[in-house]
Amino acid sequence: MADNRKTKAADLTEAQAEREITDLTRTLLSAEEAYFGKDAPEIDDAEYDSLKSRLAELEAAFFTLRLPESPIGRVGSPPAEGFGKARHAQAMLSLDNAFDAGDLEDFVSRIRRFLGFDTSEFPGFTAEPKIDGLSLSLTYRDGILEQAATRGDGTIGEVVTANVSTVTGVPLRITDALGFMEIRGEVYMSHDDFHKVNESQREAGGHIFANPRNAAAGSLRQLDSNITRSRPLSFFAHGWGQLDGSLGDDQLSAMQRLSDMGFAVNPEISLCDGIEDMVARFQNIEAKRSTLGYDIDGVVFKVNSLALQRRLGNSSTAPRWAVAAKFPAETAWTSLDSIEIQVGRTGALSPVARLHPVTVGGVVVSNATLHNEDYIAGFDSEGERIRGGRDLRIGDWVQVYRAGDVIPKVADVDLSKRQSGSVPFHFPVTCPVCGSDAIREKGDAVRRCSGGFSCPAQQLERLKHFVSRPVLNIEGLGERVIEQFFEESLLREPADFFTLQARLREQGVQLNTRAGWGEVSEANLFAEIESKRRVAFAKLLFGLGIRHVGEVAAERLARHFGRWERLVACMDEDRTPLEELISIEGIGGKTAEALAHDFQQAATRHAIDRLAAQLDIIPAAQPAAGSGLHSGKTIVFTGTLLKMTRAEAKARAEAMGMRISSSVSAKTDLVVAGEASGSKRKKAEELGVEILTEKDWHRLLEE
Ligand code: IVH
């Protein structure tokens, strides 16, 4: 190898740099392959690090010479046991769904209402196929692909940079790029490629993939990038995350710009300027579905104007400016072999259909949800008949349907095939796990085990929830492992995850002496647990698995209280905390009661406190830098705002880090009083809370 290593990068000629960059890239890649392929390492770690930092230095000085396969910038090359992780610069959200024309109309009306448009004004929408693949986020710095990451939990994804170099439609180097770009899209496998891959898998005696989506996922998430390279994958860009600058004024021209940069962009994108147009476009894409050559599962509509997209912003899970209109579900008939009752983390008894395995839209289905006892009996939650009132019995011939990734459901039953002597299903009135009474409250469709935290099923489900993907996302702790540890009483409550290693050590127990565990997986598990001690307030609250406290409510509560201690203090106040809780925008009575119940019930509360003592709780997210002037303030909107809808005003306040409350109290900082504001304004005056007119509010926004 050319040894210029002592020469400062800036003093090299371009030709010298090119030679050294090529040599270093080759040496590092071959060293990585030897290392990750578990052959003997070619060079030691220190030498590897020093070569890598030299390459990084050269690439920074001569960035046009960087080779696409360069190992630099891959945040943590995949360790032998898994992928590196990376935080997305901007979270990867999901999409709200629309299942029929009515849902689509609702989506458009919601947008109109939010923006304060009248019915004659129609914000234009783009329409494009919804690709049934895996989302991918690509980051580029100065036009060079720096990192590719899967969606992961939306905040942190798995780094698969080495695996995208051969994905069609992903440019590795862009001449006309923005300084930093996070480009989002979908990786998929075409039908032709899928058949070829399965053919060669069959010949080699390898795994046969059930559908192109699984094949794409299995191929992209390969630790050995040589395998990925041998699998034909493609990519369509459909959007972006963080950008230095802008790609255009509207969605359509931004997509054109991405196409000019070398990204594959779906050729079916078009503009719609009326609801009829949207419905027609949906039908048109659906009609083409079987001829596209790749799987799609719906049509995505996006507000075309990027200025309006910005005004609409996001809810906590999805952008308000886009919707996925889904194709109707796929169905199949099979026999209902048995009905099992599972007990969830909040005690809900959920009936699950065990089915004779059947293929529904390319996926083998053997379980389906039966919702609740009414559903089995042939009624909906309002007591209206469904399926013409036909009940479901064990042994029946039933129709199963499946829409996208949604859990399969039992839709119908064929009475002509009902076995003679079959009997209606008797829904249990005691918990099948702990034997406590299973109670159905008035107005609730669900029967619940009354055993609370003492019910082993509820304990176990809370543990699983706590480490699941949307919560702590602890890898290496799958459901089977938790069940096993639970059976051995190694785990009982969430705090136990964090004391497990110390307790095992005390008892002289090593996991790696057990089947399925090795030294590396044991070390990784405890390192992973350690890394999760620092946890965001909202995540922790959501992770407790309290009824009605989902991700959105947890986020609202966390933003309201800011710090964990403030929430606890509120729960400990003599007077009931309900008043404060329900004053929080979006927190209703049921959520408040469930929260207060769990915090005030001694056994549960002790478990929560033991958990909190193990953790370093990150206060709730404050707004982005530069907009912090009013962050943390509590604001109340009252009366009619003329220039902006209430929804937009609240979203803007939230984006500034304010807490929105629906009632005025001594804790309120600001009241925006629109036209015809009555009692809240009066109360604000009495309490001496600052009152803003609509004009003041717009001035505040401009600040
Ligand atoms: S736009 C904020 N456009 O569908 C997310 N998504 O169900 C905006 N998807 O995670 C996404 N095709 O990965 C968009 N043409 C398309 C898409 C698409 C597939 C995926 C996307 C997202 C998922 C949501």
Side-chain angles (χ1 to χ4, degrees):
M1 169 163 60
D3 196 4
N4 294 313
R5 268 192 266 165
K6 300 267 161 3
T7 318
K8 274 207 297 206
D11 296 333
L12 292 176
T13 65
E14 195 157 324
Q16 284 173 323
E18 184 165 24
R19 220 171 309 127
E20 196 182 340
I21 286 179
T22 313
D23 283 343
L24 281 168
T25 306
R26 210 172 288 147
T27 310
L28 286 165
L29 285 180
S30 129
E32 281 190 4
E33 217 163 288
Y35 180 73
F36 293 118
K38 295 201 175 135
D39 294 336
E42 287 182 354
I43 51 179
D44 67 27
D45 289 359
E47 167 83 339
Y48 175 84
D49 287 344
S50 113
L51 293 181
K52 203 164 172 180
S53 76
R54 172 66 176 173
L55 179 58
E57 184 196 348
L58 293 180
E59 284 186 0
F62 298 92
F63 59 84
T64 54
L65 299 179
R66 180 186 191 274
L67 297 173
E69 64 271 33
S70 165
I72 304 297
R74 279 190 237 143
V75 175
S77 297
E81 290 283 318
F83 292 94
K85 299 277 172 57
R87 179 175 288 275
H88 301 299
Q90 212 170 80
M92 291 181 83
L93 301 175
S94 59
L95 286 171
D96 288 335
N97 292 325
F99 293 102
D100 53 33
D103 287 352
L104 214 48
E105 276 171 35
D106 289 348
F107 163 70
V108 175
S109 331
R110 262 199 313 276
I111 287 181
R112 276 205 183 108
R113 267 203 309 278
F114 189 98
L115 296 171
F117 279 18
D118 65 41
T119 44
S120 64
E121 281 177 286
F122 190 84
F125 289 91
T126 58
E128 67 191 79
K130 181 169 189 297
I131 314 298
D132 193 7
L134 299 85
S135 25
L136 189 72
S137 183
L138 302 164
T139 49
Y140 291 83
R141 206 174 288 280
D142 300 322
I144 289 169
L145 174 67
E146 187 178 64
Q147 177 183 287
T150 62
R151 180 174 189 279
D153 64 1
T155 306
I156 292 175
E158 284 175 333
V159 178
V160 292
T161 318
N163 291 358
V164 297
S165 63
T166 52
V167 175
T168 313
V170 174
L172 302 175
R173 196 187 280 236
I174 301 167
T175 38
D176 182 24
L178 305 178
F180 176 83
M181 313 197 293
E182 214 175 17
I183 304 300
R184 266 81 194 259
E186 211 76 0
V187 174
Y188 66 96
M189 195 179 275
S190 74
H191 291 161
D192 284 349
D193 289 334
F194 168 66
H195 293 300
K196 279 185 210 147
V197 164
N198 263 355
E199 196 48 48
S200 56
Q201 290 288 99
R202 196 168 292 122
E203 277 165 20
H207 174 76
I208 306 292
F209 294 105
N211 54 43
R213 188 182 184 285
N214 288 3
S219 303
L220 188 68
R221 297 186 71 259
Q222 274 290 340
L223 287 172
D224 180 353
S225 44
N226 289 322
I227 297 183
T228 310
R229 278 186 209 128
S230 73
R231 304 261 176 84
L233 293 172
S234 308
F235 176 81
F236 276 130
H238 55 55
W240 54 88
Q242 190 155 301
L243 298 174
D244 269 359
S246 142
L247 292 168
D249 290 336
D250 54 60
Q251 183 76 24
L252 202 60
S253 52
M255 295 315 288
Q256 181 57 49
R257 176 91 194 270
L258 290 182
S259 164
D260 295 341
M261 288 179 182
F263 293 96
V265 168
N266 196 287
E268 295 291 334
I269 301 190
S270 63
L271 271 183
C272 301
D273 55 15
I275 187 87
E276 298 79 19
D277 215 16
M278 292 168 81
V279 173
R281 189 67 185 125
F282 176 83
Q283 289 165 345
N284 169 267
I285 292 180
E286 189 179 16
K288 283 189 185 168
R289 188 177 183 185
S290 60
T291 63
L292 293 174
Y294 47 86
D295 279 353
I296 64 172
D297 56 352
V299 176
V300 182
F301 293 98
K302 300 172 187 170
V303 168
N304 190 36
S305 151
L306 298 187
L308 291 185
Q309 284 189 11
R310 275 188 291 274
R311 278 182 62 191
L312 287 157
N314 307 320
S315 75
S316 62
T317 55
R320 292 192 191 90
W321 44 265
V323 76
K326 302 297 274 290
F327 295 140
E330 318 227 24
T331 65
W333 288 86
T334 187
S335 68
L336 174 57
D337 290 344
S338 64
I339 296 176
E340 195 175 287
I341 306 292
Q342 293 181 346
V343 183
R345 66 165 205 268
T346 57
L349 267 49
S350 308
V352 176
R354 300 283 179 221
L355 305 163
H356 187 77
V358 61
T359 305
V360 192
V363 172
V364 178
V365 170
S366 46
N367 302 312
T369 173
L370 291 172
H371 306 284
N372 53 52
E373 55 190 291
D374 287 348
Y375 191 81
I376 297 176
F379 299 100
D380 70 7
S381 54
E382 260 100 56
E384 299 287 328
R385 287 153 154 255
I386 47 170
R387 298 186 299 269
R390 293 184 287 280
D391 69 330
L392 301 173
R393 300 181 185 186
I394 293 168
D396 273 350
W397 189 244
V398 293
Q399 186 190 35
V400 186
Y401 79 93
R402 196 188 135 249
D405 283 339
V406 183
I407 307 169
K409 297 177 184 170
V410 170
D412 209 350
V413 51
D414 183 348
L415 290 188
S416 72
K417 294 211 168 79
R418 178 162 282 174
Q419 295 167 355
S420 63
S422 73
V423 290
F425 180 72
H426 268 292
F427 204 88
V429 291
T430 54
C431 172
V433 176
C434 73
S436 306
D437 288 342
I439 294 162
R440 187 170 167 189
E441 278 168 19
K442 215 166 159 224
D444 194 353
V446 173
R447 194 171 281 282
R448 285 170 205 281
C449 159
S450 58
F453 241 171
S454 68
C455 171
Q458 295 189 45
Q459 289 173 353
L460 180 59
E461 292 309 312
R462 285 204 187 201
L463 289 173
K464 287 182 187 169
H465 169 71
F466 190 68
V467 300
S468 67
R469 223 175 195 208
V471 189
L472 280 208
N473 191 19
I474 297 187
E475 250 174 56
L477 266 181
E479 300 208 340
R480 294 273 159 283
V481 177
I482 299 184
E483 280 162 19
Q484 192 195 342
F485 288 181
F486 185 78
E487 261 168 42
E488 297 175 41
S489 300
L490 287 171
L491 293 176
R492 279 283 162 231
E493 58 180 56
D496 294 345
F497 288 115
F498 298 97
T499 56
L500 183 61
Q501 188 177 27
R503 282 181 289 125
L504 289 176
R505 221 176 255 163
E506 235 168 60
Q507 297 166 17
V509 178
Q510 274 186 321
L511 290 182
N512 66 54
T513 54
R514 300 169 173 224
W517 289 96
E519 257 170 55
V520 178
S521 53
E522 176 172 352
N524 281 351
L525 171 64
F526 290 120
E528 174 89 2
I529 294 177
E530 276 313 301
S531 75
K532 301 292 161 92
R533 274 191 203 268
R534 209 170 132 66
V535 60
F537 181 171
K539 273 250 149 96
L540 169 60
L541 192 53
F542 171 50
L544 295 178
I546 297 170
R547 202 170 150 205
H548 304 302
V549 182
E551 251 172 313
V552 177
E555 189 65 49
R556 289 192 167 129
L557 289 158
R559 264 199 235 154
H560 173 85
F561 288 104
R563 308 188 67 84
W564 177 258
E565 297 72 24
R566 284 197 52 200
L567 166 73
V568 173
C570 167
M571 298 295 179
D572 287 345
E573 275 177 32
D574 282 344
R575 64 180 184 82
T576 152
L578 290 182
E579 197 181 310
E580 173 156 6
L581 292 175
I582 54 180
S583 78
I584 303 168
E585 182 68 24
I587 299 296
K590 281 186 177 171
T591 310
E593 274 172 28
L595 194 69
H597 174 270
D598 274 21
F599 269 80
Q600 291 174 340
Q601 205 253 338
T604 315
R605 174 56 185 278
H606 287 147
I608 294 173
D609 288 345
R610 281 191 291 270
L611 173 62
Q614 294 292 330
L615 303 172
D616 174 10
I617 304 164
I618 308 166
Q622 293 301 303
S627 55
L629 196 55
H630 301 283
S631 89
K633 287 189 180 169
T634 299
I635 189 165
V636 173
F637 291 93
T638 176
T640 314
L641 299 180
L642 300 178
K643 284 208 190 139
M644 182 180 279
T645 62
R646 185 71 80 83
E648 182 171 0
K650 285 178 179 172
R652 297 286 292 269
E654 256 174 8
M656 286 191 286
M658 293 189 181
R659 287 194 283 262
I660 297 156
S661 173
S662 50
S663 59
V664 178
S665 73
K667 291 187 181 165
T668 310
D669 296 298
L670 294 170
V671 170
V672 177
E675 279 202 355
S677 49
S679 59
K680 290 186 190 172
R681 186 197 174 102
K682 226 164 135 201
K683 184 148 186 208
E685 278 166 4
E686 281 163 23
L687 293 167
V689 174
E690 187 180 348
I691 300 175
L692 302 183
T693 62
E694 179 165 5
K695 218 171 177 184
D696 299 332
W697 163 243
H698 283 280
R699 212 169 293 134
L700 185 147
L701 281 178
E702 274 155 31
E703 281 171 19

